[in-house]
């Protein structure tokens, strides 16, 4: 059963048509990545789901209820951690709960410990590395009461090694604390490694040109990234994204 759905959604900014007839659905606790060319409206999708923008036409549904233009119904993690510099790490990770009038300090401390941040509860964001800030931001998203988490290229600013470690950590956390995740990335390998499904967008005005079920069993070991089936799927997504024909 669909948990989140975009139904024939159109959005323009003046004469700039961003999407025409965007359709897709996400199941409860599914991890779905969106991948597409630059300017194809990936971040606009998040702004529409989050109620920051309203569609010109069509419907956005969460648990079968229309949420066009409604805010506060999803948890959003942007490309930068966006931690409040005047709040400690513990106070930052409970912010989503606090805004909803509910704080679970013991749960927050438990998740900080799992993330290797137990010694930084009273630290401030400027005292943490980039990867540590991202872990804190993701814990904040997990602890927020909203049922859907939207992650907008959360690892794009990290170096390759830190990014890989964060991917493994995110996967382990998601497999332990299942939530519905919509994940934007430009990285095909990242999308394949993390996701249940991949939605491939066209050039703008964008729409979904392919929905791919990722065939790799969970839990996933990082060793699959070097195996031939994974590399074959990486080529398949690449050729779908670039509009080329896979040679057989």
């Amino acid at each position: 059963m669909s948990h989140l759905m975009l139904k024939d959604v159109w959005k323009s900014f003046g004469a700039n048509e961003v999407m025409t007839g965007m359709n897709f659905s996400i199941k409860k606790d599914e991890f779905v990545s969106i991948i597409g060319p630059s300017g194809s409206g990936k971040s606009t999708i998040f702004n529409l789901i989050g109620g920051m923008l309203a569609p010109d036409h069509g419907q956005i549904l969460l648990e079968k209820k229309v949420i066009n233009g409604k805010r506060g119904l999803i948890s959003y993690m942007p490309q930068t951690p966006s931690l409040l510099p005047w709040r400690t790490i513990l106070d930052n990770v409970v912010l989503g709960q606090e805004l909803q009038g509910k704080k679970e300090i013991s749960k927050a401390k438990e998740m900080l410990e799992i993330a290797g941040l137990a010694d930084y509860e009273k630290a401030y964001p400027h005292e943490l590395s980039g990867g540590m800030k991202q872990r804190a931001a993701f814990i904040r998203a997990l602890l927020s009461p909203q049922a859907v988490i939207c992650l907008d290229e959360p690892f794009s600013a990290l170096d390759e090694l830190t990014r890989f470690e964060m991917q493994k950590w995110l996967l382990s956390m998601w497999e332990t604390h299942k939530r519905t995740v919509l994940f934007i990335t430009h990285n095909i390998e990242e999308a394949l490694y993390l996701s249940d499904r991949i939605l491939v967008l066209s050039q703008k005005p964008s729409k979904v040109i392919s929905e791919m079920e990722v065939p790799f069993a969970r839990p996933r070991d990082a060793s699959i990234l070097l195996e031939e089936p994974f590399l074959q799927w990486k080529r398949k997504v690449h050729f779908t994204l670039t509009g080329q024909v896979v040679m057989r």
Side-chain angles (χ1 to χ4, degrees), residues 43-241:
S43 294
T44 300
I45 289 172
F46 277 10
N47 286 327
L48 287 164
I49 294 170
M52 307 296 284
L53 297 171
D56 302 330
H57 177 77
Q59 293 182 325
I60 302 164
L61 298 104
L62 181 64
E63 296 177 342
K64 298 184 179 180
K65 295 179 181 178
V66 177
I67 60 167
N68 291 21
K70 294 183 179 179
R71 302 186 185 187
L73 299 176
I74 65 159
S75 179
Y76 173 64
M77 180 177 165
Q79 294 179 26
T80 54
S82 300
L83 301 175
L84 299 177
W86 60 87
R87 292 178 71 115
T88 65
I89 298 307
L90 179 59
D91 286 340
N92 264 289
V93 300
V94 298
L95 180 60
Q97 293 181 325
E98 192 176 309
L99 293 172
Q100 299 289 327
K102 176 184 177 183
K103 280 183 16 176
E104 296 182 20
I105 298 297
S106 60
K107 181 69 171 177
K109 288 186 174 185
E110 177 188 328
M111 293 186 74
L112 284 171
E113 184 172 355
I114 293 169
L117 296 174
D119 293 337
Y120 295 89
E121 288 179 10
K122 297 179 181 179
Y124 290 87
H126 73 272
E127 299 176 78
L128 274 61
S129 68
M132 293 164 78
K133 290 176 186 176
Q134 291 294 67
R135 276 180 273 165
F138 182 66
I139 289 170
R140 179 177 61 191
L142 271 179
L143 286 170
S144 296
Q146 292 88 350
V148 177
I149 301 175
C150 291
L151 306 177
D152 189 353
E153 294 194 81
F155 308 142
S156 60
L158 304 177
D159 64 81
E160 188 172 353
L161 183 60
T162 305
R163 181 178 188 142
F164 179 56
E165 290 301 318
M166 285 300 302
Q167 289 168 0
K168 290 195 294 182
W169 179 81
L170 170 60
L171 204 53
S172 68
M173 290 292 285
W174 175 80
E175 286 170 348
T176 304
H177 306 275
K178 284 289 181 70
R179 298 286 289 278
T180 306
V181 173
L182 198 54
F183 187 95
I184 287 177
T185 180
H186 278 96
N187 189 304
I188 294 172
E189 186 175 277
E190 181 171 72
L192 280 170
Y193 180 48
L194 296 175
S195 309
D196 295 311
R197 273 191 304 136
I198 298 173
L199 307 177
V200 182
L201 302 187
S202 66
Q203 296 277 1
K204 71 173 184 180
S206 66
K207 57 186 176 183
V208 176
I209 57 172
S210 181
E211 293 189 29
M212 298 182 172
E213 296 273 354
V214 178
F216 309 115
R218 296 188 185 276
R220 287 183 192 156
D221 190 274
S223 62
I224 68 167
L225 274 68
L226 299 176
E227 294 174 358
E228 185 57 31
F230 189 91
L231 298 175
Q232 288 175 357
W233 268 88
K234 191 174 176 180
R235 288 193 290 271
K236 181 178 180 179
V237 178
H238 170 76
F239 285 121
T240 302
L241 188 60

